[in-house]
Amino acid sequence: MNIQKPEGLLSAVLPTELASSPSSRQLIINHDQQDEEASDCSLLTSSPLNDNVFESVGIFVTSLEGNPVESISPPMLENINKEDGLNEFMSIVNSSSRILNDEPSSRDPMVESTSSGSSSDTNGPVCAQLLTQLNTAYQHLAPDAQALFYNQENGGKPPLVGIQLVVPKPPKDYRFMKWNWPLIRKTCFWSLMSVLAGCMALVIGVIVTMPKKCDPRVQWWQGSIFYEIFPASFQDSSKGDGVGDLRGIVMRLDYLKELGVRGIRLNSVYPAANYPEHYFDIDNLTDLNKHLGTLDDFGELVHEIHRRNMSLLLDLPLYPFVKTLYDENVMIEKPNKTDKAVRERRGVTDDGVALEDVVPTTASMLRHGIRNPLSSTPTSLEEPQHQALTSNHISAVMENPVTAAIRTWSQRGVDGFYLKGLEHYVDEKSFASILNHWRSILGYQKIFICHANALNDATSVAKEAILRNMDLVDVTLGLSNGTKEIKKQVEEITKGLLFEKPNYPWVHWSIGGVGYQRMASTITVKNATIAASLLGMMLPGTPSIFYGDEIGMSDCECEDHKDLRHVHNVPPMNWDSIDGGSHKFASTGAMAWLPEAAKPLQTILAGTIPEMVKLRSETTPIYVKAVMKENQVLANCDIRYADDEMIVIERWYPRRNSYVFVANLGNKTQTKDLSFLYYGGHVVVGSASRLNRDVYFKEMIVSPGEAFVIKLDK
């Protein structure tokens, strides 16, 4: 049945399925300029249509079956402008393109309609909604390609048809959509915080553990304070015989620890006739004097000393007790592991060593014994295993008595020996070999000390053996001849052999000793003893304090005992000047074996020894031996002034504050202008009136017997 179309309207026949137009597909794919100009998107862009199109042309749509689909009157301007005119126009446009929302576009068979989308797309996660929005079909009004070609020939304008632009829909189910994103976010956040906290802790740990100062490492005997004791005059325990003993030393170990002592050296502990008056007339070197106690007492002393992180050393009086160091019963063998360890520590090679510089040993050394239980220090894995004593303590017939003494006392826990009188044997042919042998017995963690005379009198081979095997070389300073003589003695050492190489023995500075008069009885200023002790502690090396010098003790002045003048320098210790208590030298009130010396004079330097020990242990410029500068070993000690009984000693170290020692060893107050040396600083060790105060060298006033240490300004 045919329906008459109204006049003035165009007719269009719409098939059930719109045929795909190749030209329209080409227009969509290529996006040419003409298509962009003609495209009108009701959702995205404003329509470029003018009103003339609707005014002049009407649209009449029929289906292929001939049934009228819709009759659309041409929209007029007055119709659009009237009330609900715009709504009517949009309904026309939507009705003309409604069929495109239900089926794929006739212009692109690959385009998929959005009507098949489920409502789950809008109810899914945000990430899924963002992705599914790509499937939304955008409605456009574009000129029909076929009609465009037709109307261009007739000179007319093409009609507009509705098309869809859609993006192929990706898969709906993404694997990451099922992940636990809240947990993932928390995990990532706290993981990041943990990494930042770990980095911060690492930085803080590095800063905290970083050494505050780079100080050279030294051995326990290098730069430490040694304390020399005559055992019979230090402290009598409870025996009541008036003679000091080992138990008395144990009673005073806490005092020595507070003083800052690192090594305790005992002068004579061996059996001797008429001990202690004639302590040097010894019978043997392996037994203990009965006046001092038993071997159990000695074991307790060793244990208590080691428990306080201190060391014990013994004097070995070689001369005149030992006639010769040569022993015909000593056999020759190759150097052992101990010899090698000592050489490596000292940096000494085999060059220049004579053929006889090999380690001798006895047949008894082939057997390894068990360490004596009296020693409290466990044997190191690197130490040689010492041989146990036989029942007769290895008699002198079997080996040299000095060798037997070193082996015996080492097994009892002694940490070192002072080989007194070694200079009398340097000309012997076997000197170097026997010295190497002693070192192999002692081990490399314990020390040997000898006097500087042995080094001065030795030949080339013997001198090399001393430099290789000795750890400390004792130098005794004479203070009675003035400060100029002190400067000469110090510079002879600091510019001599011992400072040529860094691996050579350190200097053991002795201000007093068992074989010398007391400083308080020698120097002209009676209260300058502590000042002299501070001077020794300012020098590079290992200083030694003779018991009583820290309080200014003097020699015993006893007219009734002129025959004992050789022991007047070892009177009983005056403990009244230290603790002020009732605990005297002899606790039971027994009379001491030697009259006590006069009470020390009061001095403004009382209590400065512990302060100096602390400063020395913490201050690199003072406790080091020397510095390396331009491949040379330089003693970091300069005596800048020594005149009018005043002495000024400087200790320096690269990139550190220098320290200056100023002392007046005369009887007059000195006023000096030392501004040509330094400007100023502040006192770190000294009397209470100077301590922690600034001083200036423009006008330096120093009282008799006064001494102090100044930290210079940089």
Side-chain angles (χ1 to χ4, degrees):
M1 178 177 176
N2 294 328
I3 300 174
Q4 188 70 24
K5 74 178 182 68
E7 293 182 2
L9 298 179
L10 294 178
S11 62
V13 178
L14 297 178
T16 304
E17 294 183 0
L18 297 179
S20 175
S21 173
S23 60
S24 63
R25 185 186 309 114
Q26 187 66 28
L27 289 175
I28 293 174
I29 295 176
N30 296 333
H31 299 283
D32 57 15
Q33 183 176 2
Q34 180 182 2
D35 194 4
E36 293 177 0
E37 293 177 354
S39 177
D40 297 313
C41 180
S42 60
L43 299 179
L44 301 178
T45 59
S46 59
S47 175
L49 298 176
N50 52 39
D51 298 335
N52 297 331
V53 176
F54 298 99
E55 292 178 358
S56 58
V57 180
I59 299 177
F60 182 77
V61 182
T62 60
S63 63
L64 292 179
E65 289 82 357
N67 298 324
V69 176
E70 188 175 0
S71 178
I72 305 173
S73 62
M76 305 303 292
L77 182 59
E78 57 272 12
N79 296 332
I80 296 177
N81 293 333
K82 71 180 182 179
E83 184 179 359
D84 295 335
L86 181 59
N87 295 334
E88 293 178 1
F89 172 72
M90 292 305 298
S91 64
I92 295 173
V93 174
N94 293 335
S95 63
S96 63
S97 61
R98 184 175 298 114
I99 191 172
L100 298 178
N101 294 331
D102 299 331
E103 297 180 0
S105 174
S106 61
R107 302 185 182 275
D108 192 350
M110 299 300 295
V111 175
E112 183 181 350
S113 173
T114 61
S115 61
S116 61
S118 62
S119 60
S120 62
D121 295 342
T122 60
N123 298 330
V126 177
C127 56
Q129 295 180 24
L130 294 175
L131 292 174
T132 55
Q133 284 181 0
L134 298 175
N135 301 326
T136 303
Y138 297 96
Q139 306 297 330
H140 295 265
L141 294 178
D144 182 68
Q146 296 179 355
L148 178 62
F149 177 76
Y150 174 78
N151 287 310
Q152 284 179 351
E153 292 181 353
N154 299 330
K157 294 183 178 180
L160 297 177
V161 296
I163 64 174
Q164 284 181 313
L165 296 178
V166 295
V167 178
K169 185 178 181 181
K172 295 181 180 179
D173 296 332
Y174 294 93
R175 182 174 299 176
F176 63 84
M177 294 169 55
K178 300 180 180 179
W179 295 352
N180 191 346
W181 286 103
L183 179 60
I184 293 175
R185 287 193 296 270
K186 292 181 180 179
T187 303
C188 294
F189 174 78
W190 289 113
S191 299
L192 179 60
M193 292 296 102
S194 300
V195 172
L196 294 178
C199 295
M200 184 64 67
L202 180 62
V203 172
I204 295 175
V206 171
I207 295 175
V208 171
T209 58
M210 184 180 297
K212 297 181 180 179
K213 54 184 179 180
C214 183
D215 297 336
R217 298 182 61 183
V218 294
Q219 301 290 344
W220 66 266
W221 65 86
Q222 296 175 339
S224 303
I225 305 299
F226 283 12
Y227 193 86
E228 183 179 352
I229 296 176
F230 186 73
S233 298
F234 193 64
Q235 176 67 65
D236 181 17
S237 58
S238 59
K239 300 192 312 310
D241 57 357
V243 178
D245 48 42
L246 300 181
R247 289 187 176 273
I249 298 176
V250 174
M251 293 170 54
R252 298 295 183 176
L253 287 180
D254 291 336
Y255 162 75
L256 299 178
K257 183 66 176 180
E258 294 176 358
L259 193 64
V261 174
R262 181 63 177 86
I264 299 175
R265 172 185 158 202
L266 303 183
N267 290 131
S268 180
V269 296
Y270 313 107
N274 299 321
Y275 184 89
E277 291 83 355
H278 299 278
Y279 64 91
F280 45 84
D281 189 14
I282 59 177
D283 297 333
N284 63 77
L285 296 175
T286 57
D287 292 332
L288 183 67
N289 194 295
K290 62 181 181 179
H291 293 283
L292 300 179
T294 63
L295 289 178
D296 292 337
D297 296 334
F298 186 85
E300 181 183 358
L301 174 64
V302 171
H303 173 72
E304 293 298 326
I305 289 177
H306 289 169
R307 189 173 65 85
R308 291 170 173 81
N309 195 28
M310 296 188 293
S311 302
L312 178 63
L313 299 93
L314 295 182
D315 283 4
L316 279 181
L318 309 184
Y319 184 84
F321 179 73
V322 179
K323 302 302 181 182
T324 179
L325 300 181
Y326 179 72
D327 187 1
E328 295 180 354
N329 295 322
V330 173
M331 297 184 300
I332 305 298
E333 69 175 7
K334 295 182 179 181
N336 56 16
K337 295 181 179 180
T338 303
D339 239 10
K340 182 179 179 181
V342 173
R343 291 171 182 266
E344 291 177 353
R345 184 190 69 178
R346 292 296 185 83
V348 179
T349 61
D350 292 333
D351 298 338
V353 180
L355 294 178
E356 65 265 23
D357 290 351
V358 293
V359 181
T361 184
T362 61
S364 61
M365 293 182 62
L366 299 178
R367 299 186 304 270
H368 295 287
I370 302 175
R371 185 176 175 83
N372 194 297
L374 293 177
S375 175
S376 61
T377 304
T379 304
S380 173
L381 295 177
E382 299 177 351
E383 287 184 344
Q385 294 182 354
H386 299 301
Q387 293 74 25
L389 296 177
T390 58
S391 58
N392 58 357
H393 289 181
I394 308 178
S395 63
V397 178
M398 296 295 298
E399 59 182 351
N400 187 279
V402 180
T403 304
I406 294 174
R407 178 181 291 108
T408 301
W409 293 109
S410 296
Q411 295 173 3
R412 291 171 178 169
V414 176
D415 300 299
F417 300 92
Y418 188 122
L419 304 178
K420 304 192 71 172
L422 187 64
E423 59 272 15
H424 295 87
Y425 308 95
V426 293
D427 294 332
E428 293 189 5
K429 185 178 181 180
S430 61
F431 178 81
S433 60
I434 196 65
L435 209 59
N436 294 340
H437 179 44
W438 291 347
R439 168 57 68 179
S440 66
I441 297 174
L442 185 64
Y444 63 92
Q445 292 184 345
K446 300 181 180 182
I447 65 173
F448 276 135
I449 308 175
C450 72
H451 198 271
N453 293 337
L455 191 62
N456 297 331
D457 299 342
T459 60
S460 58
V461 176
K463 185 172 297 185
E464 180 68 21
I466 292 175
L467 294 176
R468 182 192 308 130
N469 295 291
M470 294 294 116
D471 300 284
L472 295 173
V473 174
D474 184 32
V475 175
T476 304
L477 285 178
L479 305 179
S480 59
N481 296 327
T483 56
K484 291 184 178 180
E485 183 64 22
I486 295 174
K487 177 180 179 181
K488 180 180 179 181
Q489 295 178 64
V490 172
E491 290 182 347
E492 285 180 356
I493 299 300
T494 57
K495 297 179 181 180
L497 176 63
L498 293 176
F499 285 85
E500 289 184 359
K501 293 183 180 181
N503 52 12
Y504 279 174
W506 279 42
V507 181
H508 179 270
W509 299 99
S510 295
I511 305 299
V514 69
Y516 306 92
Q517 277 188 297
R518 290 274 177 178
M519 286 188 298
S521 301
T522 303
I523 58 180
T524 57
V525 182
K526 297 300 182 180
N527 61 346
T529 304
I530 300 180
S533 299
L534 295 177
L535 187 151
M537 299 173 68
M538 194 67 183
L539 299 177
T542 300
S544 178
I545 300 176
F546 191 44
Y547 81 98
D549 284 348
E550 72 274 16
I551 58 176
M553 278 181 54
S554 60
D555 290 345
C556 171
E557 297 179 1
C558 182
E559 298 295 334
D560 297 336
H561 298 82
K562 293 183 178 180
D563 57 330
L564 300 179
R565 187 175 298 275
H566 60 279
V567 293
H568 281 184
N569 63 330
V570 288
M573 181 69 172
N574 193 329
W575 292 107
D576 295 344
S577 302
I578 298 175
D579 52 15
S582 59
H583 198 63
K584 310 296 183 182
F585 166 74
S587 58
T588 59
M591 183 176 294
W593 71 277
L594 190 68
E596 296 182 358
K599 290 186 177 181
L601 298 177
Q602 292 184 353
T603 173
I604 60 176
L605 298 180
T608 56
I609 296 293
E611 296 177 0
M612 186 64 187
V613 172
K614 182 179 179 181
L615 177 68
R616 182 181 179 88
S617 62
E618 298 175 352
T619 307
T620 304
I622 300 180
Y623 79 76
V624 296
K625 171 188 175 182
V627 297
M628 290 289 296
K629 190 173 183 180
E630 298 178 356
N631 297 327
Q632 294 182 353
V633 180
L634 298 178
N636 61 333
C637 175
D638 296 326
I639 299 181
R640 305 297 301 275
Y641 185 86
D643 196 7
D644 297 331
E645 299 304 322
M646 275 192 64
I647 187 169
V648 178
I649 304 175
E650 178 186 358
R651 297 297 305 277
W652 55 272
Y653 195 80
R655 296 179 295 277
R656 304 289 178 91
N657 290 88
S658 296
Y659 290 79
V660 173
F661 173 80
V662 180
N664 180 11
L665 302 181
N667 291 308
K668 298 180 180 180
T669 300
Q670 299 288 341
T671 302
K672 296 292 182 179
D673 181 6
L674 302 178
S675 59
F676 62 94
L677 297 176
Y678 315 104
Y679 174 72
H682 66 279
V683 178
V684 292
V685 174
S687 60
S689 60
R690 288 187 181 271
L691 190 62
N692 298 324
R693 295 188 178 183
D694 294 336
V695 294
Y696 301 96
F697 289 85
K698 180 67 177 178
E699 187 178 2
M700 185 70 66
I701 302 176
V702 187
S703 303
E706 184 182 8
F708 47 89
V709 180
I710 304 171
K711 181 179 180 180
L712 296 180
D713 299 330
K714 286 187 177 180

